[in-house]
Each structure stands twice: as C-alpha cells, then as structure tokens.
Amino acid sequence: MLVSNLEIVPGKRIQKHLGLVQGSSVRAKHVGRDFMAGLKNIFGGELKGYTELLQESRQEAYDRMLQQAESIGANAVLNIRFSTSSIAAGAAELFAYGTAVIME
C-alpha cells in the first residue's frame, strides 16, 4: 500500500478514485501519566507518557485508515492528514484521513 501526504505521486497515474478513508482512536490518560506530567511541569522536559499515548493513538488511527482502504480495493492512500480533538476531560481523539485510489 502506497501512502503519501502528496496529492499526486510523480510518475504515477491515478486509475480510479475510491473516496475518503478514515480511522480514529480515542484514548484517555491515566492517573499515573497525569502525576508524572505534573512533576515534569515543575522541572521541565518531555512528557514521555503523553508522547507515547499520542504515538499509539496515531498508529492505531493510521492502521484503521489503511484497513478501510484495503477493504475497498485501494492500492494507495494519498493526501493523508492527521487531526486531534478533545472529546472529554482527559480524553482525546486522533483522526487520520486520506483519499483512497487505485494507481497504475
């Protein structure tokens, strides 16, 4: 599966446009991560617990987007983007989306 954040792939032609594909993941932080993040706010530095949480969410949303693309017969997803939003106190959604196509 070819995945790109470009709208086109130089040297390749789009045979068929299959539409929007998407994947999302909603994750909540736990008390342990909040406690450690609070300490980091005092001393400074990377909030590794939150970094890991976002990496896991991004990968899960990305994988779900690709599963949807494969299920409709795409061999490429172009113009992919990521978005985040707060769902509730302590929970956030990571959303991945792109355009599923069949490329030559």
Side-chain angles (χ1 to χ4, degrees):
M1 175 81 60
L2 174 70
V3 179
S4 176
N5 61 344
L6 298 175
E7 293 180 11
I8 59 169
V9 177
K12 301 262 185 177
R13 196 172 79 83
I14 296 172
Q15 254 183 343
K16 189 173 182 181
H17 175 268
L18 299 174
L20 178 72
V21 287
Q22 59 195 349
S24 70
S25 175
V26 177
R27 296 274 175 123
K29 56 190 176 186
H30 62 71
V31 175
R33 283 185 173 150
D34 263 353
F35 178 74
M36 293 306 291
L39 291 178
K40 284 286 185 178
N41 279 338
I42 295 170
F43 301 108
E46 181 181 9
L47 303 175
K48 291 184 179 178
Y50 289 161
T51 300
E52 290 172 10
L53 181 71
L54 288 174
Q55 285 175 339
E56 292 167 4
S57 293
R58 187 174 19 254
Q59 187 63 49
E60 191 168 340
Y62 179 83
D63 290 344
R64 288 177 178 167
M65 177 188 69
L66 293 185
Q67 286 172 357
Q68 184 182 12
E70 287 174 3
S71 73
I72 60 174
N75 66 0
V77 179
L78 303 179
N79 201 24
I80 68 160
R81 300 287 185 264
F82 291 95
S83 176
T84 60
S85 62
S86 179
I87 299 294
E93 176 188 36
L94 212 138
F95 187 63
Y97 59 98
T99 304
V101 297
I102 296 176
M103 304 211 52
E104 289 183 340

